[in-house]
């Protein structure tokens, strides 16, 4: 018989069990329990549990680690409360585009977030995450793979692949070059129509120092990274007749390896 907290199924009476995540009672028969846990409603509620820091134990009952409180009744009703909704919204804002992973934290598997850019764990509170994303090292490590910036023998410098110039290996140097250098900014402006509307991915080009090609998601083809070659490719019959790829949005934010 399938029971256990991982499914939300706990004993109730001699003839029934209870699903604490769905708030229903089920006849104490393997077939009935299996039908419930395989049902769409239960699976939907389990997704909410894993995505929102909800757990259950016999001492606390239903517990939300984000709100640090036990609660009764519907999971959905709790998730709609202002405190919980605001926490989730703030967490999403802080982690969006920052390569900070909180899925394991929300699923109750750990108490830390993981930054894949800096390769560090962070005690998972809003304050700690906000402090981390504002650190100079994180800002630099996040911007480097998005802008084609690479370390060189001289630790005081970085090489910009896009512009073929050396810049200061400091947060102000990286920010000034990536946001204010005309050549750098214009290169990305020239690439935007290709990445946004034509399925051209520039992620590998930016993140790999010796890569000289971009990739067409529609045609599954590599193209030399220059506007002449890309223009020629997107005007071919094969490209124009190919189905748009589901990822045809700007891919400038590419996770680091």
């Amino acid at each position: 018989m399938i029971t256990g907290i991982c499914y939300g199924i706990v004993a109730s009476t001699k003839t029934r069990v209870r699903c604490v995540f769905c708030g229903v009672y089920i006849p104490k028969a393997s077939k009935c329990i299996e039908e419930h846990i395989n049902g769409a409603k239960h699976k939907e509620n389990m997704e909410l549990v894993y995505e929102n820091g909800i757990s259950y134990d016999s001492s606390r009952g239903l517990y939300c680690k984000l709100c640090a409180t036990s609660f009764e009744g519907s999971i959905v009703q709790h998730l709609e409360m202002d405190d919980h909704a605001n926490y989730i919204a703030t967490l999403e804002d802080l982690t969006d585009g920052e390569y900070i992973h909180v899925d394991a934290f929300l699923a109750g598997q750990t108490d830390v977030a993981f930054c894949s850019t800096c390769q560090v764990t962070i005690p998972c509170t809003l304050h700690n995450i906000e402090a981390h994303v504002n650190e100079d090292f994180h800002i630099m490590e996040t911007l480097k793979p998005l802008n084609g910036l690479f370390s060189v023998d001289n630790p005081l410098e970085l090489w910009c692949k896009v512009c073929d110039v050396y810049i200061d290996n400091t947060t102000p140097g990286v920010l000034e070059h990536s946001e204010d250098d005309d050549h750098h900014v214009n290169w990305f402006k020239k690439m935007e129509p290709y990445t946004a509307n034509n399925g051209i991915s520039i992620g590998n080009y930016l993140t790999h120092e010796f890569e000289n090609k971009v990739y067409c998601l529609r045609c599954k083809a590599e193209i030399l990274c220059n506007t002449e070659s890309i223009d020629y490719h997107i005007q071919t019959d094969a490209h124009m007749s190919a189905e748009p790829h589901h990822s045809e949005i700007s891919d400038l934010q590419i996770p680091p390896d």
Side-chain angles (χ1 to χ4, degrees):
M1 181 178 294
I2 300 174
T3 59
I5 297 303
C6 60
Y7 297 102
I9 306 297
V10 299
S12 179
T13 68
K14 290 183 178 180
T15 59
R16 297 190 304 176
V17 294
R18 181 165 62 102
C19 177
V20 295
F21 297 135
C22 297
V24 298
Y25 292 89
I26 308 160
K28 195 176 184 179
S30 295
K31 181 179 179 181
C32 296
I33 296 172
E34 287 178 4
E35 286 179 352
H36 176 76
I37 66 174
N38 289 322
K41 185 63 178 177
H42 180 78
K43 290 181 178 179
E44 180 181 325
N45 282 337
M46 291 303 295
E47 286 184 10
L48 294 176
V49 165
Y50 291 134
E51 293 171 356
N52 286 275
I54 305 297
S55 62
Y56 176 87
D57 65 51
S58 57
S59 61
R60 294 188 299 194
L62 285 170
Y63 182 78
C64 176
K65 68 188 299 183
L66 306 188
C67 302
T69 185
S70 298
F71 66 95
E72 296 180 355
S74 166
I75 291 175
V76 174
Q77 288 180 346
H78 176 78
L79 303 187
E80 291 175 346
M81 294 180 64
D82 288 345
D83 285 349
H84 188 94
N86 290 338
Y87 190 108
I88 289 292
T90 304
L91 185 63
E92 290 176 350
D93 286 343
L94 287 173
T95 58
D96 184 36
E98 299 290 349
Y99 312 123
I100 294 176
H101 308 282
V102 296
D103 289 351
F105 167 77
L106 293 176
Q109 299 166 359
T110 179
D111 288 325
V112 297
F114 179 69
C115 177
S116 58
T117 296
C118 305
Q119 293 292 301
V120 298
T121 57
I122 310 159
C124 198
T125 68
L126 298 180
H127 173 77
N128 289 334
I129 293 174
E130 182 177 18
H132 180 78
V133 300
N134 288 320
E135 290 178 357
D136 283 355
F137 182 77
H138 177 81
I139 294 170
M140 286 184 62
E141 291 304 303
T142 302
L143 289 175
K144 281 159 62 177
L146 304 180
N147 286 276
L149 302 177
F150 297 90
S151 300
V152 294
D153 290 339
N154 183 351
L156 299 179
E157 293 182 329
L158 295 171
W159 176 62
C160 177
K161 179 180 184 178
V162 170
C163 306
D164 192 19
V165 298
Y166 293 91
I167 66 171
D168 290 341
N169 187 12
T170 62
T171 302
V174 170
L175 288 171
E176 181 179 353
H177 183 75
S178 60
E179 296 179 0
D180 298 326
D181 183 87
D182 288 342
H183 183 277
H184 193 85
V185 172
N186 287 335
W187 186 89
F188 280 89
K189 286 182 178 178
K190 288 178 182 177
M191 286 293 162
E192 187 172 0
Y194 303 131
T195 60
N197 304 319
N198 287 285
I200 302 299
S201 171
I202 61 174
N204 280 340
Y205 176 81
L206 291 174
T207 56
H208 293 84
E209 184 174 359
F210 302 108
E211 179 61 72
N212 66 349
K213 295 175 182 177
V214 295
Y215 187 72
C216 178
L217 296 167
R218 290 190 194 180
C219 305
K220 310 268 193 302
E222 293 182 326
I223 311 133
L224 284 173
C225 188
N226 59 66
T227 54
E228 293 82 2
S229 298
I230 300 174
D231 278 329
Y232 177 82
H233 175 80
I234 65 175
Q235 291 172 25
T236 61
D237 290 341
H239 181 84
M240 289 191 289
S241 61
E243 288 292 328
H245 191 271
H246 65 83
S247 296
E248 284 191 22
I249 57 174
S250 176
D251 73 329
L252 301 185
Q253 290 198 345
I254 303 297
D257 292 335

